[in-house]
Every structure is written in structure tokens, then in C-alpha cells.
Amino acid sequence: MKTRTISITMILLLMFAGAGLAFSETSVVGKALSSDMSDFGAYGGWRIRNNRLYQQDTQEHLAKINFPAPQRGLMEYNFDVRYEAGGLSDRMGGFGIQLFVDDAHKGKSWGNGKSYLLWLNYDENPTYGKPGFRGQVYRSYSDTHMELLEGYDVALNPAVLTAENMQLKVPVKIQVNGNTGLVKVWDPSRPGTYVRFYLDEAPKSGKYISLRTNSLAVSFGNPEVTRK
């Protein structure tokens, strides 16, 4: 079976190489990178440092960055994520990945085209869903219309939210079958095990993916999108 892998890291490298920029922590280059990321479809404090992608704005609730990634059939998404800052003063914070996006919206938006958002969230006074540490699935219909799917708001064990764990690079592995809507999410605390569920509708195909955060600074590394 033919497998095609799209490396988000390579996309970023090509994008910034074309702009004549090197990865740097200097403020001048940082501002230039932010400008290019905005053109690419980013909102929030996104920056590349030491080959990791950071979202650094702990106040922004709708931080988002889009990546071109053709999707159809069985797709696999791999990356690692690490907590950097935020979520303490307002007792909330979340991150997730938006999949099978048909038309990515550049800039600030609640939804993001027609797509599904797989979301990990902690919120003591939520606007959507129940309080606490939750795994959620949102369905987006447009840049202004996105809904938390009924029955897709699942309580998670808050005992994993320790100071030690927040220093770790946590591996994320997700498979989504665009033809059937079957989703598998691997449990990083129990290697080889995963939870499975079906989306309310098979997404069929998409052109983009998006990484998103809410009131949280995190960094992402080693991202890959693979069609199986």
C-alpha cells in the first residue's frame, strides 16, 4: 500500500527559506517570522525556535496556524506537544488539531471552514461543555460557526496534570478514516493502546490541518501527516 508523508517541518523550512530567513531568536527575525506566518494563515504568537513550533501568547483564546495537507481516506497525524506557560491565572487552557479542513480561514476565527477539531481542554468555568479536564470534538461549518458535538465531551483523569508531566514532550498519534469517520487516539500513558469513536459524519476529504491553542503557550515538534 502506498504511503505518502507530508512533513509540516519541511513546509515551514521551505516557506522561510524562500523568504530568506534563518531560524533565530532575535527580535528582528522573530517579527519577520510572525509576519510570514500571518500570511500563511496564523493567528497568535507563533514562532520557530530550536526546530520547534511555539505558540507563545497565553492570553489569546483563538490562536491558530494552518498547514496545507491534502487528506482523504485513512490519515495518520503524529507530533509531540509540551506545555510552556499559561492556564494558571484564568484556570483554563487547551490545545488541539483541526482536521480535514476544506477552506482554511486566515487570521482570527472561531471555526475553520468545514472540518473537525479534536480538542484537549481544562476549564473550571467553561462556555462550552462541562468543567474540568475534558476531551472534546467540535464540528466546524464555517469560520464563524463551530459546535461542540453532543456526546463528544468526555471527562479525563486530572491526575496526569502534574508539574513533572508538564515538562515532558508528550507524543500524540491520531488516525482518522475520512471514508468512515472512525477516529483512533493513542494513549501516551499506555503505549500501544488507543480509544476509538466515530465522528457524526465521515469528513471525506480536506486540504488543510490547523494547530490551535486557547489561553495556553505550548510547543510542537516532529509533526507528520501521513496518508495510509
Side-chain angles (χ1 to χ4, degrees):
M1 182 178 294
K2 185 177 180 181
T3 299
R4 188 175 78 173
T5 299
I6 305 163
S7 169
I8 296 174
T9 303
M10 287 305 299
I11 292 172
L12 289 168
L13 286 169
L14 291 171
M15 180 177 67
F16 295 129
L21 299 174
F23 296 152
S24 171
E25 296 185 35
T26 64
S27 60
V28 174
V29 174
K31 290 179 180 178
L33 288 175
S34 297
S35 174
D36 282 350
M37 284 185 176
S38 177
D39 293 340
F40 197 58
Y43 185 84
W46 296 94
R47 182 177 298 178
I48 291 177
R49 187 169 70 245
N50 297 329
N51 294 319
R52 289 187 67 80
L53 176 63
Y54 288 76
Q55 198 298 111
Q56 303 175 117
D57 190 341
T58 60
Q59 304 301 310
E60 180 53 56
H61 299 302
L62 295 173
K64 177 188 68 183
I65 185 167
N66 303 315
F67 298 97
Q71 297 154 87
R72 67 175 185 271
L74 180 59
M75 302 298 302
E76 183 171 297
Y77 310 86
N78 289 273
F79 57 92
D80 66 64
V81 62
R82 182 177 64 201
Y83 170 84
E84 301 294 342
L88 300 178
S89 61
D90 56 6
R91 309 301 295 171
M92 65 182 295
F95 77 92
I97 181 169
Q98 203 143 12
L99 308 173
F100 284 84
V101 182
D102 70 334
D103 187 14
H105 180 82
K106 290 187 177 182
K108 186 175 184 177
S109 66
W110 166 237
N112 201 22
K114 295 179 181 178
S115 58
Y116 285 91
L117 172 62
L118 306 186
W119 189 245
L120 194 66
N121 196 59
Y122 181 86
D123 195 340
E124 294 184 358
N125 297 286
T127 303
Y128 302 92
K130 296 179 180 179
F133 187 38
R134 317 288 295 183
Q136 301 174 327
V137 179
Y138 288 78
R139 184 173 181 177
S140 174
Y141 299 88
S142 69
D143 59 313
T144 60
H145 182 195
M146 187 165 69
E147 298 178 352
L148 174 60
L149 293 178
E150 185 176 357
Y152 292 78
D153 181 22
V154 181
L156 302 176
N157 184 6
V160 302
L161 301 178
T162 65
E164 293 77 15
N165 285 344
M166 288 193 177
Q167 299 176 24
L168 300 176
K169 296 177 183 177
V170 180
V172 177
K173 178 180 177 180
I174 301 167
Q175 283 188 355
V176 180
N177 190 321
N179 297 325
T180 66
L182 175 62
V183 179
K184 297 179 180 178
V185 181
W186 271 255
D187 184 346
S189 67
R190 296 165 40 184
T193 66
Y194 57 82
V195 296
R196 51 177 282 163
F197 58 90
Y198 282 88
L199 300 173
D200 65 334
E201 186 175 318
K204 300 301 183 184
S205 64
K207 298 178 182 178
Y208 302 88
I209 69 168
S210 305
L211 296 174
R212 307 196 68 153
T213 70
N214 171 19
S215 192
L216 203 64
V218 300
S219 66
F220 300 92
N222 302 311
E224 287 185 342
V225 180
T226 305
R227 185 166 66 238
K228 294 296 190 178

